[in-house]
């Protein structure tokens, strides 16, 4: 099963959501089709054309947006009035703005899975089903895995050393030091952009089972680094731990997870599957974290097909 062919939005706009933020919003596929929301990762990653290709454009009204501060949204990399609660409320604003009574699917990957779960817990009557990829539970131990020497650093020691060496001398954790430097810096300063690039390269290296050479992350490095450090220093702005609350969810949930995911270790997908009353977990053999990893996109499409066959989608 291949991804659906590339397609362009039939509509795109900026939606003001208050606090000086404007979200880039686009719709693809069938304007009269089944409404679905696709959430990007990060925080700060921004949507990509690849995410448009996970639903059949003949049957689905595919809605994507760049979350506050990410992608084309304005202000770029803005951290003021930018918390998980804001992002959840923004999805509701989009739903009302577009006249959607209920999302038939909310799909989210990585941080997008955190946001999708948070939205479904807050607005369960507006979500018919969830499709989650690369589950990120946003626990302190999950962030420690990424940003201390005891986790993913043991699998990518050379890249980890580069991340650490890029920092000026100072005290505190790697996460805290990057957060302080990026919060004080600016994208147009050489030093700010240098640190943002190193931060983003680290995660990009982890996202692929076989790290790619010559990676270019400049297009989203500033928003990715600023927003990830902003959110992770505050434990994702979760009001309470996510996993214990998930047993409340009653909608069907499809989970897709790479068996060699170094960004979000597979334990997180397993624990979520165990906690959810109506979930199915599909491992993608030999795959890492990213949607672009071999087999991951196809597994997401297959997950949507399973929901269709069960009759879970209107």
């Amino acid at each position: 099963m291949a991804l659906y062919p590339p397609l362009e939005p039939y509509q795109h706009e900026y939606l003001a959501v208050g606090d000086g933020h404007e979200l880039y919003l686009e719709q693809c596929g069938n304007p009269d089709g089944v409404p679905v929301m696709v959430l990007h990762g990060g925080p700060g990653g921004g949507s990509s054309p690849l995410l448009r290709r996970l639903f059949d454009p003949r049957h689905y009204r595919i809605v994507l947006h760049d979350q506050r501060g990410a992608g084309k949204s304005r202000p770029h990399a803005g951290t003021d009035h930018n918390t998980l609660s804001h992002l959840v409320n923004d999805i509701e604003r989009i739903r009302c703005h577009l006249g959607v009574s209920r999302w038939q699917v909310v799909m989210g990957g990585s941080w997008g899975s955190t946001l999708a779960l948070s939205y479904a817990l807050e607005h369960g009557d507006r979500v018919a089903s969830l499709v989650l990829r690369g589950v990120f539970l946003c626990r302190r131990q999950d962030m420690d895995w990424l940003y201390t020497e005891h986790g993913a650093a043991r699998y990518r020691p050379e890249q980890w050393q580069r991340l650490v060496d890029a920092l000026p001398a100072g005290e505190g954790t790697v996460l805290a030091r990057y957060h302080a430097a990026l919060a004080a810096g600016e994208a147009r300063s050489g030093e700010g952009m240098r640190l943002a690039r190193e931060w983003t390269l680290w995660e990009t290296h982890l996202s692929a089972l076989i790290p790619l050479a010559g990676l270019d992350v400049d297009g989203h490095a500033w928003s990715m680094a600023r927003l990830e450090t902003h959110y992770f220093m505050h434990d994702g702005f979760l009001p309470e731990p996510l996993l214990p609350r998930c047993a409340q969810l009653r909608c069907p949930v499809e989970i897709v997870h790479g068996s060699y995911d170094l960004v979000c270790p597979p334990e997180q997908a397993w624990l979520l599957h165990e906690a959810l009353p109506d979930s199915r977990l599909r491992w993608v053999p030999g795959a890492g974290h990213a949607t672009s990893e071999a087999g991951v996109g196809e597994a997401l499409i297959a997950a949507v097909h399973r929901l269709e066959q069960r009759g879970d989608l209107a």
Side-chain angles (χ1 to χ4, degrees):
M1 181 185 300
L3 301 189
Y4 292 102
L7 74 161
E8 294 299 315
Y10 66 78
Q11 183 182 28
H12 55 87
E13 61 182 308
Y14 278 92
L15 177 65
V17 291
D19 311 313
H21 285 274
E22 294 180 302
L23 305 183
Y24 173 75
L25 173 63
E26 66 178 41
Q27 300 183 71
C28 308
N30 182 352
D32 299 315
V34 174
V36 297
M37 167 64 79
V38 188
L39 302 172
H40 67 72
S47 294
S48 77
L50 180 65
L51 299 181
R52 304 171 186 163
R53 303 175 57 193
L54 301 174
F55 291 88
D56 187 339
R58 299 169 298 176
H59 300 305
Y60 289 95
R61 180 184 180 188
I62 309 161
V63 180
L64 304 95
H65 73 287
D66 291 338
Q67 297 154 28
R68 293 191 182 207
K72 299 176 184 176
S73 290
R74 304 183 290 227
H76 184 66
T79 56
D80 291 339
H81 305 287
N82 195 337
T83 68
L84 180 62
S85 177
H86 287 104
L87 302 189
V88 167
N89 290 338
D90 288 345
I91 298 172
E92 267 298 274
R93 285 176 181 266
I94 292 170
R95 185 189 63 77
C96 295
H97 173 70
L98 298 180
V100 172
S101 61
R102 194 181 192 209
W103 303 111
Q104 291 301 305
V105 180
V106 176
M107 178 184 285
S110 195
W111 165 256
S113 72
T114 315
L115 179 54
L117 288 165
S118 299
Y119 177 74
L121 286 165
E122 189 74 19
H123 300 283
D125 58 333
R126 303 301 183 184
V127 179
S129 67
L130 295 173
V131 176
L132 308 177
R133 185 269 308 164
V135 171
F136 182 56
L137 298 175
C138 207
R139 302 167 297 177
R140 174 50 51 186
Q141 66 210 67
D142 304 322
M143 289 170 276
D144 287 347
W145 165 267
L146 286 168
Y147 303 117
T148 73
E149 68 274 17
H150 303 299
R154 293 155 59 190
Y155 292 86
R156 297 284 190 269
E158 183 177 355
Q159 286 79 18
W160 171 255
Q161 194 61 51
R162 174 172 172 161
L163 178 74
V164 173
D165 289 347
L167 277 168
E171 299 295 323
T173 65
V174 168
L175 172 59
R177 290 163 66 193
Y178 265 98
H179 175 254
L182 291 163
E186 296 182 4
R188 58 180 173 268
S189 76
E191 177 65 3
M193 193 60 194
R194 182 185 70 83
L195 290 173
R197 187 181 297 113
E198 294 300 330
W199 176 272
T200 308
L201 276 172
W202 163 244
E203 185 170 331
T204 306
H205 274 295
L206 291 179
S207 293
L209 182 61
I210 301 175
L212 303 174
L215 292 169
D216 181 7
V217 300
D218 287 4
H220 62 278
W222 184 243
S223 61
M224 213 37 191
R226 281 261 295 184
L227 291 175
E228 283 194 340
T229 55
H230 167 67
Y231 270 81
F232 296 162
M233 280 297 292
H234 295 91
D235 295 323
F237 293 99
L238 285 163
E240 53 189 301
L242 186 60
L243 185 61
R245 301 170 61 207
C246 287
Q248 304 169 26
L249 291 173
R250 290 296 178 265
C251 66
V253 182
E254 293 280 342
I255 303 169
V256 171
H257 206 100
S259 61
Y260 289 96
D261 190 332
L262 287 181
V263 176
C264 300
E267 175 214 30
Q268 296 182 70
W270 176 253
L271 291 175
L272 180 63
H273 170 54
E274 290 284 283
L276 290 170
D278 186 5
S279 68
R280 284 147 301 285
L281 171 59
R282 299 293 186 272
W283 301 112
V284 183
H289 181 69
T291 306
S292 57
E293 285 283 276
V296 173
E298 291 84 351
L300 290 169
I301 292 173
V304 175
H305 286 171
R306 282 192 295 274
L307 292 170
E308 293 169 345
Q309 291 162 2
R310 279 180 34 140
D312 292 317
L313 306 184

